[in-house]
Amino acid sequence: MAAAAPPPPPTPTPTPPSTVPADSTPIGHPLFSRVRLAAPSDVPHIHKLIHQMAVFERLTHLFSVTESSLSANLLSSPPFRSFTVFILEVSPKPFPENSPHNTNPNYTPVVRILNSDLPVDDPEREIFKSEDENVVVAGFVLFFPNFSTFLGKPGFYVEDLFVRECYRRKGLGKILLSAVAKQAVKMDYGRVEWVVLDWNINAIRFYEEMGAQILPEWRICRLTGDSLQVYGNDN
């Protein structure tokens, strides 16, 4: 089914978020998390995250994306009207008040605190260092608008959602997916959809606990590679 262009999103009036949510009190070893819109400087991190996702999903034989192709195709359109990426960042300390990511006119970052008895051991901290001090990139979600003819409303389709291994099972995946759902509600969109591999039992359980319906009667159909190119050569 062809996807119709969704209506333009409302223009928000951004207010810089507090680096410490009012309803949270850091205890033990707090992990501050932030969901924000991706910037061009995030492309190298996005590329590395996609490769880690391909390894996890046992699909490295299909991995061919480059930083150049990401730069050319992502982040070039207004967010929420086309391909949109939320970056998940974490820090053992509050996010700096003067961070440039606090004042994006299109999206106010979501900041949360997760409390843990032990600090997170991140062996890739240096590889995933963010622009802000003490901050590292922990994951991402990529989504774009589609359209439901039955609902008569646009929705969001989540292409990828990924959290690095050392930060899993801490509620960060839920924070990412909830950010997409919250944006859909804000724009009066009808639904958020994604797919899950049938062997990923932990993910299926996690999505069901969030209230998602798993639809076993639907199957993905895909034209790609040589099969797709046939149509480009058809006169």
Side-chain angles (χ1 to χ4, degrees):
M1 292 182 287
T11 302
T13 303
T15 55
S18 169
T19 57
V20 180
D23 58 349
S24 300
T25 302
I27 59 174
H29 294 274
L31 186 66
F32 294 81
S33 69
R34 176 172 68 185
V35 175
R36 62 168 176 81
L37 276 174
S41 59
D42 294 309
V43 166
H45 287 147
I46 295 171
H47 184 259
K48 288 191 286 284
L49 290 167
I50 294 173
H51 183 263
Q52 289 193 356
M53 182 173 60
V55 172
F56 175 75
E57 294 183 348
R58 310 167 193 173
L59 296 173
T60 52
H61 59 289
L62 300 178
F63 180 83
S64 62
V65 64
T66 64
E67 290 185 23
S68 297
S69 63
L70 288 175
S71 295
N73 293 290
L74 290 180
L75 313 178
S76 58
S77 301
F80 314 124
R81 301 187 189 186
S82 183
F83 314 115
T84 302
V85 178
F86 281 160
I87 292 291
L88 170 67
E89 294 176 315
V90 295
S91 173
K93 299 180 180 180
F95 294 97
E97 296 281 359
N98 62 350
S99 170
H101 299 300
N102 288 343
T103 55
N104 191 306
N106 295 302
Y107 185 75
T108 301
V110 176
V111 179
R112 296 284 185 268
I113 296 178
L114 303 175
N115 293 302
S116 175
D117 294 333
L118 298 172
V120 177
D121 180 16
D122 184 354
E124 298 177 308
R125 173 172 291 275
E126 291 301 313
I127 299 175
F128 284 97
K129 284 178 63 174
S130 187
E131 298 168 299
D132 294 329
E133 187 177 1
N134 298 312
V135 178
V136 297
V137 172
F140 81 111
V141 60
L142 188 155
F143 58 101
F144 49 86
N146 59 9
F147 191 86
S148 168
T149 51
F150 285 5
L151 295 178
K153 284 186 174 184
F156 282 137
Y157 181 80
V158 177
E159 177 69 18
D160 294 318
L161 186 151
F162 184 75
V163 175
R164 293 201 286 124
E165 184 175 4
C166 62
Y167 294 106
R168 293 174 195 159
R169 294 171 292 280
K170 301 182 185 302
L172 292 168
K174 183 176 181 179
I175 290 174
L176 263 180
L177 192 54
S178 296
V180 178
K182 183 176 181 179
Q183 186 65 31
V185 172
K186 181 178 180 180
M187 297 171 66
D188 193 30
Y189 280 13
R191 65 190 184 192
V192 175
E193 293 182 301
W194 63 95
V195 298
V196 61
L197 292 166
D198 59 3
W199 56 260
N200 196 345
I201 303 302
N202 289 335
I204 292 173
R205 185 180 301 114
F206 162 66
Y207 294 140
E208 288 177 333
E209 289 173 353
M210 285 193 67
Q213 294 177 302
I214 310 297
L215 305 176
E217 67 271 25
W218 291 87
R219 294 292 184 268
I220 298 172
C221 300
R222 177 176 293 166
L223 277 175
T224 188
D226 292 342
S227 297
L228 179 62
Q229 292 304 316
V230 167
Y231 292 91
N233 300 325
D234 185 8
N235 296 319

